[in-house]
C-alpha cells in the first residue's frame, strides 16, 4: 500500500492514524500495545492506516511517560450509570490536561473484601493514585488496607469528611433542603421522598435535609411519605407505586436521584396523572435523563464531572509531591436547584 506523502520532518500522530482508520485514538493505542481484544476488521483498519501513513510509535517517549505519569485507578460497578459517565469525563479531562493516565476496574459488589481486591488489582496494573466514588469510599475508609496504602486517594460525592482520603463533595443536606423548600414554595405540603441506597452516606444526608425543610415550615413528617430506594430506576418504580397507593397520596415526590425520579414520572403517566398539575416530581444530580423525559425534570445539579476533575488535579499534585498527605483536604463545591416543567 502506498504511503500518504507528508512534509519532511512532519511527525504522524496517533490521532491522524485514528482519523484515517475511523476509530478513536484509544483504539489505536490498544492495537499498538495489545492491551485489548478488538474485532479483526478494526485491527486490520488500524494496521492499514499505520502502514499508509508511516506512523512510528515513539517507544522511548512512551516508556518515559509510563515511568513518570500519574496513573489514576477507578473502581466502578455499573458501566451504564450516568454518575460513572460524568465521573470519567471529569477525570479524563483533567488527566489529558495534566499528562496523567486512567485505569478502571469493575467491582460487582460493595463488600469490603471485593473493594479491596479491586483496588489491589488496580495497583498491580500500575495505578499510583486511586479515585473512589460512593459507596466504595465509605467501604474502604478507616480500614487497615486503606491505612497501608502509600498512594494518593481521593473520593467524590461521598456526603461527608473522610479521615484518610482527600474528598470533594457538595453539602448534601443543604441541597436536599433547598429542593424541598422549592416544593414547599410551590404550595406542596404532602411531599413524598424516595431515599437512596443505605450504603451511601450521601443518601442519609439527603433525607435529613428533606426533614429539616419540613420542620422549618411546621410540616409534620409523615413516615409513610418516605419510601426506600437504592438509586436504581427499578427501585423508583416500587417507591412511586407505594406512595401513590397511599389513602392520601403526596402532591409532590422528591427522589434522591434522577433515575428514580424518572421512574416516578413513568408511574404517574401510567396512572393518568398530569405532571406537574396532579403531581410534581423532583430529582437530584441533573443527569442526562433529566432532560430526556417529559416533562423535563426539576433537579439538584451537582457537578460530578467538576468534582472528578478537581479530585484528579489533587491526586496528580499529591503524586508529584511524593504521595499521601498527613492531613487530607476536604472541599465542597456548589449546587444549583434547576427548575424545569416537572414542578
Amino acid at each position: 500500500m502506498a504511503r500518504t506523502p507528508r512534509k519532511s520532518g512532519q511527525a504522524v500522530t496517533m490521532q491522524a492514524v485514528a482519523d484515517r482508520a475511523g476509530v478513536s485514538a484509544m483504539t489505536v493505542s490498544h492495537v499498538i500495545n495489545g492491551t485489548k481484544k478488538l474485532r479483526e476488521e478494526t485491527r486490520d483498519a488500524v494496521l492499514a492506516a499505520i502502514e499508509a501513513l508511516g506512523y512510528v510509535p515513539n517507544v522511548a517517549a512512551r516508556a518515559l511517560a509510563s515511568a513518570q505519569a500519574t496513573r489514576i485507578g477507578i473502581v466502578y460497578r455499573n458501566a451504564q450509570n450516568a454518575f460513572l459517565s460524568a465521573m470519567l469525563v471529569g477525570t479524563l479531562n483533567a488527566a489529558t490536561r495534566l499528562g496523567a493516565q486512567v485505569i478502571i476496574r469493575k467491582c460487582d459488589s460493595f463488600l469490603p473484601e471485593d473493594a479491596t481486591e479491586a483496588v489491589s488489582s488496580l495497583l498491580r496494573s500500575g495505578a499510583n493514585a486511586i479515585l473512589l466514588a460512593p459507596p466504595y469510599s465509605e467501604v474502604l475508609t478507616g480500614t487497615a488496607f486503606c491505612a497501608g496504602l502509600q498512594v494518593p486517594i481521593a473520593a467524590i460525592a461521598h456526603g461527608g469528611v473522610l479521615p484518610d482520603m482527600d474528598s470533594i463533595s457538595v453539602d448534601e443536606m443543604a441541597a436536599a433542603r433547598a429542593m424541598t423548600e422549592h416544593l414547599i414554595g410551590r404550595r406542596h405540603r404532602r411531599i413524598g421522598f424516595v431515599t437512596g441506597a443505605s450504603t451511601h452516606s450521601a443518601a442519609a444526608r439527603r433525607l435529613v435535609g428533606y426533614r429539616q425543610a419540613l420542620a422549618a415550615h411546621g410540616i409534620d413528617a409523615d413516615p409513610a411519605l418516605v419510601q426506600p430506594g437504592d438509586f436504581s430506576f427499578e427501585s423508583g418504580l416500587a417507591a412511586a407505586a407505594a406512595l401513590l397507593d397511599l389513602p392520601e397520596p403526596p402532591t409532590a415526590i422528591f427522589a434522591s436521584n434522577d433515575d428514580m425520579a424518572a421512574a416516578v414520572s413513568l408511574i404517574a403517566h401510567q396512572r393518568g396523572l398530569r405532571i406537574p398539575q396532579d403531581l410534581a416530581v423532583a430529582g437530584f444530580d441533573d443527569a442526562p435523563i433529566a432532560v430526556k423525559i417529559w416533562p423535563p425534570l426539576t433537579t439538584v445539579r451537582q457537578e460530578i464531572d467538576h468534582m472528578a476533575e478537581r479530585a484528579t488535579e489533587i491526586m496528580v499534585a499529591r503524586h508529584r509531591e511524593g504521595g499521601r498527605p498527613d492531613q487530607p483536604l476536604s472541599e465542597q463545591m456548589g449546587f444549583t436547584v434547576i427548575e424545569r416543567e416537572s414542578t
Side-chain angles (χ1 to χ4, degrees):
M1 181 181 293
R3 293 182 177 179
T4 302
R6 64 181 189 277
K7 296 179 182 179
S8 177
Q10 181 183 8
V12 177
T13 65
M14 186 180 291
Q15 187 61 55
V17 174
D19 292 342
R20 185 179 181 94
V23 299
S24 69
M26 182 64 74
T27 298
V28 175
S29 176
H30 285 314
V31 171
I32 293 170
N33 297 301
T35 50
K36 184 178 181 181
K37 186 176 181 180
L38 299 167
R39 292 186 302 171
E40 187 173 350
E41 55 264 40
T42 300
R43 181 175 177 275
D44 289 346
V46 171
L47 292 175
I50 288 172
E51 181 181 0
L53 296 175
Y55 175 68
V56 179
N58 188 335
V59 178
R62 291 211 326 266
L64 181 62
S66 178
Q68 295 180 342
T70 305
R71 292 178 293 277
I72 298 166
I74 295 176
V75 179
Y76 75 95
R77 184 178 187 184
N78 180 6
Q80 306 303 316
N81 186 277
F83 185 102
L84 175 66
S85 297
M87 181 177 174
L88 286 175
V89 166
T91 305
L92 289 169
N93 282 345
T96 300
R97 173 165 45 85
L98 299 170
Q101 300 167 7
V102 179
I103 310 170
I104 63 175
R105 282 289 181 277
K106 188 175 184 183
C107 181
D108 288 324
S109 85
F110 300 137
L111 295 174
E113 55 268 31
D114 292 331
T116 295
E117 174 51 33
V119 172
S120 297
S121 175
L122 287 167
L123 297 173
R124 290 193 297 268
S125 297
N128 49 30
I130 300 295
L131 176 58
L132 298 173
Y136 297 111
S137 49
E138 287 96 334
V139 167
L140 292 177
T141 187
T143 64
F145 172 77
C146 188
L149 291 177
Q150 300 301 310
V151 302
I153 311 172
I156 65 168
H158 53 84
V161 176
L162 300 174
D164 46 11
M165 55 187 79
D166 295 313
S167 57
I168 311 295
S169 61
V170 300
D171 187 333
E172 304 281 353
M173 281 189 286
R177 188 167 61 245
M179 177 57 79
T180 309
E181 294 271 4
H182 167 76
L183 295 171
I184 293 171
R186 290 290 182 180
R187 300 180 184 277
H188 295 285
R189 291 297 179 270
R190 283 191 63 78
I191 301 171
F193 187 82
V194 184
T195 67
S198 60
T199 52
H200 293 56
S201 60
R205 289 171 180 269
R206 291 174 194 180
L207 177 58
V208 171
Y210 157 80
R211 287 172 170 161
Q212 285 178 342
L214 296 181
H217 288 266
I219 301 172
D220 291 334
D222 183 349
L225 289 176
V226 177
Q227 291 295 321
D230 62 12
F231 291 130
S232 69
F233 184 86
E234 292 73 19
S235 71
L237 295 175
L243 287 168
L244 294 176
D245 283 342
L246 291 173
E248 187 181 354
T251 61
I253 297 177
F254 175 19
S256 290
N257 77 345
D258 293 340
D259 280 354
M260 295 192 298
V264 172
S265 293
L266 175 59
I267 294 295
H269 288 314
Q270 289 177 341
R271 296 188 177 207
L273 298 175
R274 299 168 301 164
I275 301 173
Q277 294 91 336
D278 302 322
L279 179 71
V281 182
F284 201 110
D285 285 340
D286 200 26
I289 197 172
V291 292
K292 292 180 179 179
I293 62 173
W294 181 257
L297 185 66
T298 293
T299 186
V300 175
R301 175 181 293 165
Q302 59 169 344
E303 308 282 3
I304 299 299
D305 54 340
H306 290 176
M307 288 187 206
E309 190 165 354
R310 176 61 182 142
T312 301
E313 292 171 349
I314 293 168
M315 285 188 293
V316 170
R318 298 290 197 206
H319 175 246
R320 292 174 180 172
E321 291 166 0
R324 295 177 69 179
D326 293 331
Q327 294 294 327
L329 65 80
S330 177
E331 292 184 3
Q332 282 194 339
M333 290 191 164
F335 63 85
T336 310
V337 172
I338 305 296
E339 182 178 13
R340 299 191 179 103
E341 286 91 330
S342 70
T343 59

